[in-house]
Amino acid sequence: MTFLGSFKTGFSYPKNTHFRWHRTKSFVIILLCCSVYFGYQLKSVTNVERHVEDFRFDLDVIRSAIKNETSTGIYLTVPIQSETSAVLVGRRKSDRRICPSQLSYMYLKTHKTGSTTLYAILGRLKNQASGLNRVTNYPSPYAGGYPGSFRKNLSFQEGKNGIRADILSSHIRFNEAEVRAIMNPNAKYITILRSPKSQFESSFYFYYGNHPNGRQPNNKVTCPWLPYAYVTGRNSVSYSEYLKIADTQLNESIPWFFRSRNYQAYDLGLDPANLTKQYTLQQAQILDNIFDLVLILDYLFESLILLKDMLCMEWDQIIPDPPNPPQYTKHEYSTEDRRILQKLTFQDRLLYEYFNDSLWRKVDEYGAENMKRDVTKLKSLIQTRAPETKNHTSETSNTTEATIKRRQKTAKQYIYELVSNILSREKGSVSDLPVATRIAKYMVENNGWCPEQIIQPLAQP
């Protein structure tokens, strides 16, 4: 029996033995080729498995690479149909940082969240770079027509004309489409949040509680006594009393109302009228896909380590300036106070919980032990530098309680006054009048106007 005898069943071989021999050789050659081919494929699969095992996939990097093409130095050589249908490019565990070739970031500076501390830290980075296009604050400290949703035609750049901005670092109300229209497509998106209770208290005392004499002479563009004085009709009330008044009197028709209701959510562009859990969480997910990093003030050290890793910063660049000492005593909440606060911070609380969880997922990706080691190092560097604590004297009341009389004016009158205040604040000239007028009109349309207020002390009994 020949080698192929076992395969004879069902076959009718020709009687010509010479032909049979050639068929046998052909069959053997085919078998050998198949063996070599499948052996090569098996080896390739094994190599791919080893390759995948040696790499840590980072989907954020992949998305950034797809969006920014070669800006991060990652070259995609095959079309990616989905995150699970193709072998994705990864980065080795030993090489965590992929540094951008050019510094570019959008920092949304939320209010009363420690955002000025982060602004100073990022400022060290941008000050060391040259040739960057920057969006300027106008009128300071705002950009893009705040408190209206950001508009590119109300923003102004320093640098070369016709080139997208590398840096936007300001108080704005987020509008993704308009921001992306002016920003470098490689820009990192950054912001910071704070515990809603702490942020709410800080806002109250900063704009109102620590300034019983009123703050209107200081800044007639940002109207820092609002909405608190407008809601209460008085120049000074206690925190607990304000909560009770705001529970029924605060509404969206009052200028700067958002300072006392979901302030952080407002800055991030959420609709202040949609107070549903479903909407707020949907917006949180959308923002999570846009922002590369949302820092949490309550976990500032961990947040700064992640920022350092993302922007390839040096240790001395992330050492925060010493904080201001507290200017008020934390409030002891009654059951009713807590109910009102939860009502006034509903969106903020959901956003904070969502992004707090997101922060700690990033910490897990960074590595718990790595984070613990680096936080310890950062704290040690802060202690070594030992900067002097800022001297900041809290303001206390030295006046009697006052009521506020309001004079009703037309929108045109408010716009005219705001234009005058903008030009005065920015030391503008007549040539700046059209720009200031457009911004003032947009601000007034979006609750950013300052009603004239006359403070009159109450008669003493």
Side-chain angles (χ1 to χ4, degrees), residues 406-414 417 449-452:
R406 307 187 185 98
R407 290 178 178 175
Q408 297 299 324
K409 293 187 177 182
T410 65
K412 285 186 177 181
Q413 288 174 311
Y414 285 124
E417 288 184 354
W449 49 280
C450 305
E452 183 179 7

Side-chain angles (χ1 to χ4, degrees), residues 59 62 66 79-88:
L59 297 183
I62 300 305
I66 295 171
I80 292 186
Q81 299 173 351
S82 71
E83 293 174 355
T84 58
S85 65
V87 177
L88 303 180

